[in-house]
Amino acid sequence: MVSCCCARCVSEAGFSWVGWCAGGVTVGAARVTRRGFLLGGAALLALPGTALASTAPEIADCAAWGARPNSRVVNVVTQRPVKILVHHTATPNVTDLSRGAADALARGIQNFHMDRRGWLDSGQHFTISRGGFVLEGRHRSLEALRSGHKQVEGAHCTGQNLVSVGIENEGTYTDTEPTGVLWDRLREMCAYICAQYGIAPTEIYGHRDFKDTLCPGDVLYGMLPRLRGEVGGMLGRRLEGSSVRAASWPVLREADRGPVVRAAQHLLRGAGRTEVAVDGDFSAAMAESVRVFQAEHATEEVNGIIGGETWPLLAAPVRAGDGGEAAEAVETLVATSSTRPPSQVGPVQWQQLLTAAR
C-alpha cells in the first residue's frame, strides 16, 4: 500500500504486490567504503529526574552508500519532532547481513521511491538493515538529527512527516522477529533520537497507528512495548506496565474474529454501511464494505483494512444514555473487557476500550 515506505503492505494481506525488490529494479554491486561513515557522540535527554548521555550507533550518511542526489530541495524546518515511527520494508528476510547488502538495500529503496513514486528522495529518515547497519535515508536527516533542533520533512507517513522520525527496518515481520543485531541498532537509534530531541520513550509508535496498514508487521509491532521499555532503560528511565503499552487503534483485516470486529461492524452500520452483518466475523463481504467506506472518505488506502486512519472516521462520539450503533459498539467492548463504560466516549476512550477488549 502506498502508505508503507518500501514495498506494498497489501502483500501481507494476501494480495500480489510489486515492491522495489520484486519489480525488476536492479541494484548494482555494493560499494563498501568507510567514506561518510559517522560516529555519533553523545546527547542529553531532558526527562523528569534524568539527564543522561546516549551514544549514537554508527550511521552511514547518504554519500557512504552511494545515494543519488535528491531531485528537489529537501525541506528542513527548525522544529523538533515529537515521536518516532517504526516501519518494516516488507521485503524478504534475507540472509546476507553484509554492509554491501545494506548499501544495496538503501539504493534500491531510493530508486523505488524516486522512480516509481515520484518522490524527491528516500521517504524515510533512517534505514536499519538485517545485518544491523544504520544508514541515513533522506538527505540531511543525519545533519538535522545531530543539530537536535531541526527536522527534515520525510515521506514515510502522511500527516506525520514533520512531527516524527521514520525508521525503516529491513524485512517482513508479520510472523517472525527481526535479527538480534537489527533489534540492537533499532534500540540504540531510538535512544539516540529520543536524547537528541527530548522525545519520551513512550512516544515510539508503529506505522499502523496512523494508517490502514499492517506495517511494521504483527510481530515487530507487538515488540514495541519492549522497545519503549528498553529505550527508557538506556536513558535511565524505568518504564513498565501500562507506561509501555500505549492504547492504540487495532488493525483488523479479513478473517479476523471477535468482539473488536463486532464493534467495528456496529460502527460501519452506524456510518451508513447497513449491509454489514453484526456477527464478529471479518468476511470478504465486510472487507468490501470497508473499501466502500474508505473510498467515500478518500482515505489514503482503499484496501479493506481497518487501521489508524479508518478507525477515527468510524468511531463516533458517544454519551451515556445514547442509543444507536455506536452505543452498541461500546456495550460490546465493555461486556468483553468487564470495564465500566465511560460517561463520554471520544477518540482516547475508544482506543482504551478497543485495547482492553483485544
Side-chain angles (χ1 to χ4, degrees), residues 192-213:
Y192 181 58
I193 293 168
C194 286
Q196 283 294 94
Y197 289 127
I199 299 173
T202 52
E203 296 301 305
I204 299 174
Y205 298 93
H207 190 182
R208 63 172 64 185
D209 287 320
F210 302 96
K211 291 294 173 182
D212 299 321
T213 173

Side-chain angles (χ1 to χ4, degrees), residues 75-318:
N75 184 33
V76 182
V77 296
T78 306
Q79 68 180 48
R80 297 170 185 260
V82 297
K83 66 189 78 165
I84 297 171
L85 260 61
V86 175
H87 303 257
H88 70 175
T89 59
T91 54
N93 293 326
V94 299
T95 56
D96 186 347
L97 308 183
S98 68
R99 167 70 200 281
D103 287 358
L105 168 74
R107 289 193 294 270
I109 291 173
Q110 187 189 42
N111 288 338
F112 178 75
H113 286 178
M114 295 180 72
D115 298 338
R116 298 286 294 276
R117 296 195 172 174
W119 296 349
L120 61 89
D121 200 352
S122 300
Q124 75 283 4
H125 296 99
F126 298 98
T127 306
I128 305 177
S129 76
R130 282 177 56 79
F133 293 96
V134 183
L135 305 98
E136 181 181 32
R138 179 159 290 205
H139 283 83
R140 301 192 66 187
S141 296
L142 186 53
E143 169 198 334
L145 174 59
R146 285 179 161 275
S147 78
H149 65 271
K150 294 188 294 185
Q151 165 75 332
V152 166
E153 183 176 12
H156 60 98
C157 182
T158 306
Q160 302 298 317
N161 290 316
L162 274 174
V163 296
S164 68
V165 177
I167 303 176
E168 282 283 357
N169 297 278
E170 180 188 14
T172 299
Y173 299 110
T174 306
D175 53 16
T176 189
E177 292 187 1
T179 63
V181 289
L182 188 157
W183 178 261
D184 290 344
R185 297 298 87 73
L186 176 60
R187 178 182 57 216
E188 293 167 9
M189 192 65 185
C190 287
Y192 181 58
I193 293 168
C194 286
Q196 283 294 94
Y197 289 127
I199 299 173
T202 52
E203 296 301 305
I204 299 174
Y205 298 93
H207 190 182
R208 63 172 64 185
D209 287 320
F210 302 96
K211 291 294 173 182
D212 299 321
T213 173
L214 304 184
C215 179
D218 291 345
V219 172
L220 182 52
Y221 185 78
M223 295 173 72
L224 292 188
R226 172 184 162 190
L227 181 62
R228 296 179 190 114
E230 292 184 5
V231 169
M234 292 182 69
L235 298 168
R237 184 179 180 185
R238 185 174 180 179
L239 300 173
E240 55 188 16
S242 61
S243 63
V244 297
R245 296 185 186 90
S248 60
W249 300 112
V251 167
L252 295 181
R253 74 213 81 173
E254 194 171 334
D256 283 346
R257 292 179 174 82
V260 175
V261 173
R262 184 180 293 272
Q265 291 169 334
H266 278 300
L267 292 172
L268 281 164
R269 290 178 60 84
R273 307 313 317 161
T274 55
E275 74 279 5
V276 176
V278 180
D279 57 8
D281 182 7
F282 201 133
S283 64
M286 177 177 170
E288 178 56 29
S289 294
V290 172
R291 285 190 285 271
V292 171
F293 176 84
Q294 290 170 330
E296 290 172 344
H297 290 80
T299 60
E300 187 168 343
E301 293 297 327
V302 178
N303 56 14
I305 296 173
I306 302 177
E309 187 172 11
T310 293
W311 273 116
L313 297 172
L314 285 173
V318 181

